[in-house]
Amino acid sequence: MKFSKKAVVVEVEIQGALRKEIGELKADMEYQIGIEKTETEAQISLKENEIRMKEEGISLYKDEKKMLKEKLKKLNEKEQDLSQTR
């Protein structure tokens, strides 16, 4: 697994910080003109992409964790079946 529970918490905290930065950038756009707005929109887009990538990483971690739990459950069931046949 690429992530641990602690890493997921950190990723979520980073997402929150990025969302806050996006909010601040959007607020700043009110006072900007032309090129400044374009640059700010690009920064916002980059931060939104980073949030999406982190969400995908967390989702993959959760899916992998679920798959490994199911695999462990099946292995435990097989172990019980083998011990009962002996």
Side-chain angles (χ1 to χ4, degrees):
M1 284 189 278
K2 291 183 180 179
F3 288 96
S4 67
K5 288 181 183 181
K6 193 173 192 176
V8 170
V9 170
V10 170
E11 292 292 310
V12 170
E13 289 173 355
I14 292 170
Q15 287 178 8
L18 288 168
R19 285 188 175 98
K20 182 180 177 185
E21 288 177 30
I22 289 170
E24 292 169 356
L25 288 169
K26 286 182 178 180
D28 290 344
M29 283 179 63
E30 183 178 336
Y31 305 103
Q32 295 176 346
I33 57 170
I35 294 174
E36 291 176 321
K37 281 189 179 184
T38 303
E39 290 172 354
T40 302
E41 288 171 347
Q43 288 178 346
I44 289 170
S45 180
L46 289 172
K47 291 181 186 301
E48 288 173 341
N49 287 338
E50 188 175 347
I51 289 171
R52 274 192 289 281
M53 288 178 16
K54 291 184 179 303
E55 287 172 344
E56 289 173 8
I58 291 170
S59 178
L60 288 173
Y61 162 76
K62 288 179 179 180
D63 291 344
E64 184 178 0
K65 183 178 174 182
K66 182 179 177 182
M67 180 187 71
L68 289 172
K69 281 185 177 183
E70 289 174 7
K71 189 173 184 178
L72 180 62
K73 182 181 175 184
K74 288 179 183 179
L75 287 172
N76 286 335
E77 288 172 358
K78 281 185 181 182
E79 180 182 38
Q80 286 177 354
D81 290 344
L82 288 173
S83 66
Q84 289 175 356
T85 58
R86 290 185 181 177

